[in-house]
């Protein structure tokens, strides 16, 4: 029995030390430098506060790393510096009785996705902070006077169907904050799956169409066109064979007459010279 008691005591001690070590690992130093982009707003709380507060993007450092944050705990005073903060889901902050419901956490995530921008204008940043406070505080929180468009932002949630922002809360001794989930915290601690490379499509050039050759004459001797009778040119005015002899005789007589005339011409010339 004594040994069992000692074993139980040792196990309890080891468990306590393990929880303490885990708690110390999760602790973060948070430094709050105030609102870096926003505007003063008149608010009223059920806890008795009624006055002006800075509403907008808060500049904080977590273990020396600067982050943009919004306050999700208007009922607690901000501490300039505190080492006791932890990263928790939005539904674990702020502290009771103002802990966020699952629907409230979704609304804040959607508001951030819809309207947050690191370079957003001061009035818009103030309106986003007031809209977050209204979700957290419910009937225990109210805005007096100008709300910088917070009511319009809340109305826009009814028709929003896109994805929410990946947010996480910082809870500790002072105000609680909401920030974008840093690498290694919350859902973003899971490794990102490597996308499967898509197949590379090689462009195959379209072949250039070639002209189809016409029918080719089969090999062999070139055919000679059929030879018909060669046409005879039309005859000239050639005398027929019956008149050849008479013409020949007439030609001889003509030659004799020419010779005779040629003989008479010199004689006549001599007679004229004598006279």
């Amino acid at each position: 029995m004594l040994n069992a008691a000692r074993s139980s005591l040792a196990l309890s001690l080891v468990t306590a030390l393990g929880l303490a070590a885990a708690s110390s690992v999760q602790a973060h130093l948070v430094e709050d430098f105030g609102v870096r982009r926003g505007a003063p707003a008149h608010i009223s709380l059920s806890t008795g506060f009624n006055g002006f507060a800075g509403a907008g993007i808060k500049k904080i450092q977590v273990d020396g790393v600067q982050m943009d944050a919004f306050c999700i705990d208007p009922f607690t005073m901000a501490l300039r510096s505190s080492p006791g903060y932890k990263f928790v889901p939005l539904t674990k902050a702020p502290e009771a009785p103002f802990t966020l419901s699952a629907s409230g956490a979704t609304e804040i995530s959607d508001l951030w996705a819809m309207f947050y921008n690191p370079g957003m204008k001061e009035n818009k940043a103030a309106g986003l902070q007031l809209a977050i406070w209204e979700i957290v505080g419910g009937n225990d929180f109210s805005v007096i006077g100008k709300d910088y468009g917070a009511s319009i932002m809340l109305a826009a949630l009814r028709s929003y169907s896109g994805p929410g922002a990946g947010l996480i809360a910082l809870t500790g001794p002072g105000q609680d904050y909401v920030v974008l989930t840093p690498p290694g915290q919350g859902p973003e601690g899971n490794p990102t799956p490597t996308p499967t490379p898509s197949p590379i499509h090689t462009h195959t050039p379209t072949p250039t169409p070639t002209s189809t050759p016409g029918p080719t004459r089969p090999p062999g001797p070139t055919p000679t066109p059929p030879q018909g009778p060669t046409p005879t040119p039309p005859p000239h005015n050639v005398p027929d064979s019956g008149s050849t002899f008479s013409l020949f005789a007439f030609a001889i007589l003509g030659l004799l007459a020419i010779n005779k005339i040629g003989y008479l011409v010199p004689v006549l010339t001599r007679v004229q010279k004598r006279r």
Side-chain angles (χ1 to χ4, degrees):
M1 295 293 294
L2 183 59
N3 289 335
R6 286 178 179 176
S7 298
S8 178
L9 180 60
L11 180 60
S12 299
L13 182 58
V14 169
T15 302
L17 290 174
L19 291 175
S23 177
S24 63
V25 169
Q26 293 176 351
H28 299 278
L29 172 65
V30 173
E31 297 173 275
D32 189 327
F33 298 98
V35 175
R36 75 164 182 87
R37 187 178 292 271
H42 188 181
I43 63 173
S44 176
L45 306 175
S46 62
T47 55
F49 177 82
N50 188 319
F52 284 87
I57 300 174
K58 296 202 97 176
K59 177 183 176 182
I60 67 171
Q61 284 188 359
V62 182
D63 296 333
V65 178
Q66 184 172 319
M67 296 182 183
D68 279 358
F70 284 93
C71 170
I72 53 172
D73 186 8
F75 305 96
T76 304
M77 294 293 295
L79 298 178
R80 174 66 178 81
S81 178
S82 177
Y85 276 85
K86 295 182 295 183
F87 284 107
V88 296
L90 265 65
T91 53
K92 300 296 183 181
E95 291 83 1
F98 304 106
T99 305
L100 278 168
S101 64
S103 61
T106 300
E107 288 177 340
I108 292 176
S109 176
D110 289 346
L111 279 175
W112 189 297
M114 294 168 68
F115 299 108
Y116 169 76
N117 185 297
M120 62 196 307
K121 295 183 181 298
E122 285 79 3
N123 286 357
K124 193 171 184 180
L128 181 53
Q129 176 65 90
L130 292 174
I132 292 173
W133 279 342
E134 291 202 26
I135 292 172
V136 174
N139 294 331
D140 294 297
F141 174 88
S142 59
V143 180
I144 301 173
K146 188 174 184 180
D147 71 351
Y148 299 101
S151 57
I152 297 174
M153 294 180 183
L154 292 169
L157 282 173
R158 303 190 192 103
S159 59
Y160 181 71
S161 59
L167 304 178
I168 197 168
L170 277 164
T171 185
Q175 283 185 352
D176 288 358
Y177 308 95
V178 58
V179 297
L180 285 171
T181 305
Q185 295 290 340
E188 292 191 10
N190 299 327
T192 304
T194 303
T196 305
S198 57
I200 300 174
H201 299 283
T202 305
H203 176 70
T204 304
T206 305
T208 304
T210 55
S211 58
T212 304
T216 307
R217 184 185 302 277
T222 303
T224 305
Q227 299 291 330
T230 304
T232 304
H236 299 288
N237 295 326
V238 178
D240 58 19
S241 58
S243 60
T244 303
F245 179 77
S246 59
L247 290 175
F248 179 71
F250 181 77
I252 293 174
L253 294 175
L255 290 173
L256 292 175
I258 292 171
N259 288 333
K260 188 172 183 178
I261 293 171
Y263 173 75
L264 293 176
V265 170
V267 174
L268 292 175
T269 303
R270 285 195 298 272
V271 171
Q272 289 178 354
K273 287 182 178 179
R274 286 177 183 175
R275 289 181 181 178

